[in-house]
């Protein structure tokens, strides 16, 4: 229902959006930054058109120098919109192969320069990790959802997979945990009433902090930091309601 609302409220600018997508698709290989700046701008407008309010905190924690990875928890399709609307520098993403042929979404992923991973093919997955590692090593930023698929339990995280952190360990790159709260609500709840979601950028984990850890230990540490942040934010909100 909310996706329909987004289309309805954006109806008169849709032809312009389609033109701009086509324009940036043609220049995708040569001008990733230009395409991203446009997507960043439109993401905020689409969110507003869907009657969603995004609360963003912790942007000061994002490294000033590029060449790091984001590792958010995964609650659904709205997650990427949150990241795109709150981060103004280009990043690419490791996406599941099934999205490579999804109408419209595949155009945005092409502009971002997405890496497509076949989760059933270990050899292909390792090739993607290698390519993504070179990308990060070249001073670019990468989004990875360590759970591999969306959590079906709302604000409770699924298991973070160790392989998601290989791009960071190979490049000694900073890891930026990101806590997404209530991001499942816009598309999972059958309502178009105003809804609020939150995105919290946590302090980066530098190589010196994780260099002596195994990939499994890194995954556990990142997962715990995100879950602890989510739990503390929700607990504070419940305390405020109780007092009120």
């Amino acid at each position: 229902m909310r996706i329909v609302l987004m289309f309805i409220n954006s109806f008169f600018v849709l032809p312009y959006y389609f033109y701009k997508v086509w324009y940036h698709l043609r220049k995708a290989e040569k001008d990733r930054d230009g395409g991203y700046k446009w997507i960043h701008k439109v993401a905020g407008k689409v969110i507003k058109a869907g009657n969603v309010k995004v609360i963003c905190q912790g942007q000061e924690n994002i490294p000033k120098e590029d060449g790091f990875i984001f590792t958010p928890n995964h609650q659904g399709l709205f997650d990427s919109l949150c990241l795109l609307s709150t981060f103004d520098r280009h990043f690419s993403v490791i996406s599941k192969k099934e999205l490579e042929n999804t109408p419209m979404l595949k155009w945005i992923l092409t502009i971002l320069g997405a890496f497509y991973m076949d989760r059933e093919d270990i050899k292909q997955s390792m090739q993607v990790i290698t390519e993504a590692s070179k990308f990060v090593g070249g001073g670019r930023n990468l989004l990875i959802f360590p759970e591999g698929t969306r959590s079906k339990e709302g604000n409770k995280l699924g298991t973070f997979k160790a392989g998601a952190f290989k791009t960071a360990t190979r490049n000694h790159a900073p890891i930026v945990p990101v806590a997404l709260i209530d991001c499942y609500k816009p598309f999972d709840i059958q309502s178009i009433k105003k809804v609020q979601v939150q995105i919290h950028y946590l302090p980066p984990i530098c190589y010196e902090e994780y260099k002596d850890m195994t990939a499994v230990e890194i995954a556990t540490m990142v997962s715990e930091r995100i879950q602890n942040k989510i739990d503390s934010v929700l607990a504070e909100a419940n305390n405020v309601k109780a007092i009120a």
Side-chain angles (χ1 to χ4, degrees):
M1 292 176 64
R2 198 171 300 273
I3 293 176
V4 172
L5 178 66
M6 289 175 171
F7 273 99
I8 291 174
N9 286 338
S10 305
F11 181 78
F12 292 106
V13 293
L14 282 178
Y16 173 72
Y17 285 171
F18 280 118
Y19 164 74
K20 292 294 287 187
V21 167
W22 171 80
Y23 173 81
H24 287 295
L25 274 172
R26 294 179 61 208
K27 300 178 62 178
E29 292 293 334
K30 297 181 180 179
D31 188 20
R32 295 286 184 203
D33 292 330
Y36 182 83
K37 287 179 180 178
W38 178 76
I39 292 174
H40 165 70
K41 182 178 179 180
V42 171
K45 294 182 177 180
V46 170
I47 288 172
K48 185 176 181 180
N51 203 21
V52 180
K53 181 179 180 180
V54 176
I55 302 297
C56 178
Q57 294 185 359
Q59 287 173 307
E60 70 278 3
N61 291 322
I62 300 173
K64 297 295 187 291
E65 294 186 10
D66 292 328
F68 57 86
I69 68 169
F70 291 114
T71 56
N73 55 308
H74 196 13
Q75 298 189 333
L77 286 174
F78 198 81
D79 301 349
S80 296
L81 273 175
C82 271
L83 285 150
L84 288 167
S85 68
T86 57
F87 184 66
D88 60 4
R89 284 179 277 159
H90 174 260
F91 66 80
S92 189
V93 58
I94 292 183
S95 176
K96 59 183 180 181
K97 189 174 179 61
E98 293 83 346
L99 296 181
E100 190 173 9
N101 297 311
T102 303
M104 295 181 63
L105 183 57
K106 67 178 181 180
W107 301 337
I108 302 300
L109 291 171
T110 298
I111 294 172
L112 294 177
F115 300 90
Y116 295 100
M117 180 179 287
D118 184 348
R119 293 172 292 183
E120 305 299 322
D121 187 334
I122 295 178
K123 183 178 180 180
Q124 191 268 354
S125 296
M126 292 306 299
Q127 290 175 341
V128 169
I129 291 295
T130 298
E131 292 175 9
S133 295
K134 293 179 181 178
F135 179 81
V136 175
R140 308 297 281 183
N141 308 315
L142 184 69
L143 167 65
I144 303 175
F145 290 107
E147 289 160 291
T149 187
R150 58 173 293 179
S151 169
K152 298 296 179 63
E153 299 186 64
N155 291 312
K156 184 177 180 181
L157 274 60
T159 301
F160 273 34
K161 296 175 174 58
F165 297 91
K166 289 183 178 179
T167 50
T169 56
R170 289 182 180 183
N171 293 285
H172 301 176
I175 299 168
V176 181
V178 183
L180 298 171
I181 302 175
D182 292 340
C183 284
Y184 64 93
K185 290 183 177 180
F187 293 156
D188 285 4
I189 297 176
Q190 293 301 310
S191 170
I192 58 174
K193 291 182 179 179
K194 190 165 188 175
V195 64
Q196 179 175 290
V197 304
Q198 298 185 49
I199 177 169
H200 297 263
Y201 292 95
L202 307 187
I205 304 170
C206 297
Y207 176 68
E208 289 72 20
E209 185 175 351
Y210 69 76
K211 64 180 180 180
D212 295 323
M213 301 173 68
T214 66
V216 173
E217 290 172 334
I218 297 171
T220 300
M221 174 180 64
V222 175
S223 175
E224 288 178 348
R225 291 190 183 187
I226 294 174
Q227 188 66 69
N228 288 340
K229 181 62 177 181
I230 292 173
D231 292 344
S232 66
V233 170
L234 294 178
E236 183 178 350
N238 288 333
N239 289 335
V240 171
K241 288 182 181 179
I243 294 173

